[in-house]
Amino acid sequence: MADSRTKAGFFNLLFIICVSTAFLGFRSCAEPTSDKQALVDFISRFRYSRSRIKWDLSTPACSWTGVVCDSSQTYVYELRLPGVGLVGQIPPETIGRLSHLRVLSLRSNRLSGPLPPDFGNLTSLRSLYLQGNIISGSFPESLARLPGLSRIDVSSNRFEGEIPASISNLILRTLFLQNNRFSGAIPAIVNTSYLVGFNVSNNNLTGEIPETLSKFPESSFAGNLQLCGKPLPSCADRSPSPSPSPVPSTSGGKRSRKITTGAIVGIVVGIAVALLLLLLLLLCFYKRSRRGTEPSQPPKPATTARASAAEAAESSSKEEVLGQDSKHKLVFFEVDKYGFELEDLLKASAEVLGKGSTGSSYMAELDDGTTVAVKRMKEVVVGKKEFEAQMALLGQIRHENLVKLIAYYYSKDEKLLISDYIPTGSLSSLLHGSRGSGRPPLDWITRFRIGLTAAKGLLHLHMAANTPHGNMKSSNILVTKSLKACISDYGVHSLLGPSALPNRGTGYGAPEVQHQAKLVSFKSDVYSFGVVLLELLTGKAPNQVASLGEDGIDLPRWVQSLMAEAFDAEVFDAEVVGSGVEEEMVAVLQVAMKCVDLVPERRPEMWEVVRMLEMVESGEFQSPLNQEGNGSDGRY
């Protein structure tokens, strides 16, 4: 009996050992089958580079590029595929099936269309990185309700609509929504104790900034023209909209509908007064019409002389420089901030700053010490209403890398733009002026800073004002005392006639604009900015390059010819070569050549240019011409 029990116990123990061994063996060969199928369904909908995404379906999904599984390899909790060339819309019922996913990074691809609604099923999601795509539509309300979501970066996309109110209840660490098309008010985020990164700049947001977010810098909110409150100017400083007249209530059914005797008397008196005023107006009109028929005195001959730029430089006559027609007034964009008028400009000491295709520019120093720049525009072909509408748009733009417009003046004979005066000069004069005659060289660090800040200014113009510059060139990039760019002369191309067409024949104009002025666009701005980058790299002005090769060659094609012959080193300006920055210069050269592509559709957008330059600055840049590898940097 004892022997039989011993044998039974032995077999039971053996059975347990065998089962345990089999179970452990199964665990060691585990495969997240359902998650793998979701990934296969996801990737099969895209065209992609096999060298960047190495997914061998015969191997476990946990070994694939960008896929991270838990320690037991039973589910996927990270999917990181940044910059791998995914093009198209994220298909529904794919990523949304990864129920244990904690980190999702699909940044820097070409993903488009709206986000799938089943993203709201990612209940374990902690970090979402979708920046640098062209995703459109609204940000899903269900996604903003995920309880553990703490890091969100959907910047530089095309999201629109309001920011979901439910996002305010999340315990966030970072929230980056800049460079989109979000509208409406900013939700008041309840808990900002852990919020270390926040940016909603360059959207269409309105209203007052919630007090809980006022600790973030002004740059976090810039580019939203209708936002106010700390750290931006107070909402009280804005002129309130007229309140609608109160509508009498009709709900009081028991109120008397009879008109009292006093009310009748009041109505009669009111009508009598109105008739008397009308009679007086008709009498005044009659007298004025009679005066208009009387013979007038012969007009005095005009005394305004249209001086050339050279004559104006030698003359102290402000009438010649700024015009004499003073019957109209300056229109200021910030009322009560400036205390001068047109007469003060006429009295000011003036100095010619330059003469370009859009008109002549002057520096005017007023009696009170204020110094402004005055642009005397030529060949304005639009009427007053169109001119004023464009000025109203441009006058609202505020950015540290764009010259601030102060006021404008419109009359039949004169159109003036008054803006901040920046005494340091333009990039063109700093880069090319007095070269070789004791001029201190412009080092690469300074050149790069100017290029990057100019790119940010141009991006703000595109995103916040939704208008191309139209005349991007180094002479319109002013340099501040802190050696940062401040772009001038923006947004006026639509007001001018064909003979004042910006950038024609200067070497900055995109090929499509050279032949048809109406094709000025965001993409033609990118081309012109690419030429500016080449100018910074080579030290050569675009209109000076023809002497370096065959007739008609421009700066981009000259650089391209040297690159084709493997003479890259000869491209760079001798003033900065040999300072240990050649690798960074090569990276910027690749960005520039991407910008000056002859085909507009192949040029990047300005937010992409800014992102690439920022990556050059941080050392993370991969060439847009020859990207290799899977593009994952292991961070997002």
Side-chain angles (χ1 to χ4, degrees), residues 231-247:
L232 300 180
S234 170
C235 297
D237 296 340
R238 299 196 171 190
S239 301
S241 300
S243 302
S245 301
V247 179

Side-chain angles (χ1 to χ4, degrees), residues 331-378:
V331 179
F332 289 88
F333 300 115
E334 294 177 314
V335 182
D336 299 331
K337 188 171 182 180
Y338 297 91
F340 63 89
E341 280 295 343
L342 183 64
E343 292 79 5
D344 299 302
L345 288 179
L346 295 176
K347 297 174 185 176
S349 60
E351 176 185 338
V352 178
L353 297 176
K355 185 177 181 181
S357 58
T358 59
S360 300
S361 298
Y362 307 89
M363 181 273 289
E365 187 174 352
L366 306 175
D367 291 340
D368 64 358
T370 303
T371 304
V372 295
V374 181
K375 179 86 167 186
R376 190 180 189 185
M377 300 181 67
K378 69 177 184 181

Side-chain angles (χ1 to χ4, degrees), residues 556-607:
R557 307 290 82 79
W558 176 75
V559 171
Q560 196 173 43
S561 66
L562 290 181
M563 292 175 66
E565 298 173 9
F567 294 151
D568 298 35
E570 296 185 15
V571 169
F572 301 129
D573 190 350
E575 279 192 351
V576 290
V577 170
S579 55
V581 293
E582 286 81 2
E583 184 176 349
E584 189 170 283
M585 294 176 70
V586 168
V588 175
L589 174 62
Q590 293 167 341
V591 176
M593 296 309 293
K594 191 73 172 175
C595 293
V596 296
D597 197 301
L598 294 176
V599 180
E601 292 75 16
R602 292 205 296 255
R603 299 170 200 156
E605 297 184 30
M606 273 314 300
W607 66 262

Side-chain angles (χ1 to χ4, degrees), residues 125 432 553:
L125 195 65
H432 309 300
I553 193 171

Side-chain angles (χ1 to χ4, degrees), residues 80 82 103 105 107 129 131 615 618 620 632-636:
R80 300 174 183 267
V103 178
S105 174
R107 65 179 176 89
Y129 303 106
Q131 66 267 35
M615 291 176 70
S618 64
E620 300 176 3
S632 175
D633 61 7
R635 296 189 306 130
Y636 302 132

Side-chain angles (χ1 to χ4, degrees), residues 81-334:
L81 296 174
V84 295
L86 299 176
V87 179
Q89 187 172 339
I90 300 174
E93 299 299 324
T94 56
I95 291 179
R97 287 153 48 192
L98 303 175
S99 57
H100 293 88
L101 193 66
R102 294 173 63 88
V103 178
L104 175 61
S105 174
L106 300 175
R107 65 179 176 89
S108 306
N109 286 288
R110 296 289 290 175
L111 298 173
S112 58
L115 292 179
D118 62 337
F119 263 34
N121 298 335
L122 301 174
T123 54
S124 299
L125 195 65
R126 300 290 183 270
S127 303
L128 177 67
Y129 303 106
L130 299 176
Q131 66 267 35
N133 286 284
I134 50 175
I135 301 171
S136 58
S138 59
F139 190 83
E141 183 83 26
S142 58
L143 186 56
R145 287 199 188 101
L146 297 178
L149 192 58
S150 63
R151 296 181 182 273
I152 301 174
D153 191 341
V154 295
S155 59
S156 299
N157 277 282
R158 295 178 182 175
F159 284 102
E160 56 190 6
E162 296 188 355
I163 301 172
S166 53
I167 211 169
S168 63
N169 296 318
L170 297 177
I171 301 177
L172 294 166
R173 294 189 63 83
T174 56
L175 179 61
F176 297 120
L177 307 178
Q178 68 267 29
N179 301 330
N180 279 283
R181 300 169 182 175
F182 286 112
S183 57
I186 303 174
I189 297 177
V190 177
N191 190 341
T192 60
S193 302
Y194 301 97
L195 189 61
V196 295
F198 178 83
N199 197 324
V200 292
S201 62
N202 299 327
N203 281 283
N204 300 311
L205 299 171
T206 59
E208 187 169 7
I209 296 170
E211 186 178 355
T212 54
L213 298 173
S214 61
K215 66 179 182 180
F216 291 99
E218 183 177 342
S219 58
S220 294
F221 306 95
N224 295 280
L225 301 181
Q226 299 301 318
L227 270 187
C228 58
K230 189 178 178 182
L232 300 180
S234 170
C235 297
D237 296 340
R238 299 196 171 190
S239 301
S241 300
S243 302
S245 301
V247 179
S249 173
T250 59
S251 60
K254 294 184 180 180
R255 291 185 181 178
S256 174
R257 296 176 180 270
K258 295 181 180 180
I259 303 177
T260 64
T261 304
I264 294 173
V265 173
I267 292 173
V268 172
V269 171
I271 293 174
V273 171
L275 290 173
L276 181 60
L277 289 174
L278 180 61
L279 184 62
L280 290 173
L281 287 173
L282 290 174
L283 184 61
C284 292
F285 178 78
Y286 174 74
K287 289 183 176 180
R288 290 184 63 184
S289 63
R290 289 201 54 165
R291 280 201 303 268
T293 58
E294 295 175 359
S296 58
Q297 296 295 326
K300 295 180 180 180
T303 58
T304 302
R306 304 300 181 190
S308 66
E311 292 169 338
E314 297 173 0
S315 172
S316 60
S317 172
K318 315 309 176 302
E319 290 82 1
E320 290 183 352
V321 173
L322 299 174
Q324 280 188 332
D325 187 358
S326 59
K327 65 182 179 180
H328 301 281
K329 298 292 183 180
L330 293 176
V331 179
F332 289 88
F333 300 115
E334 294 177 314

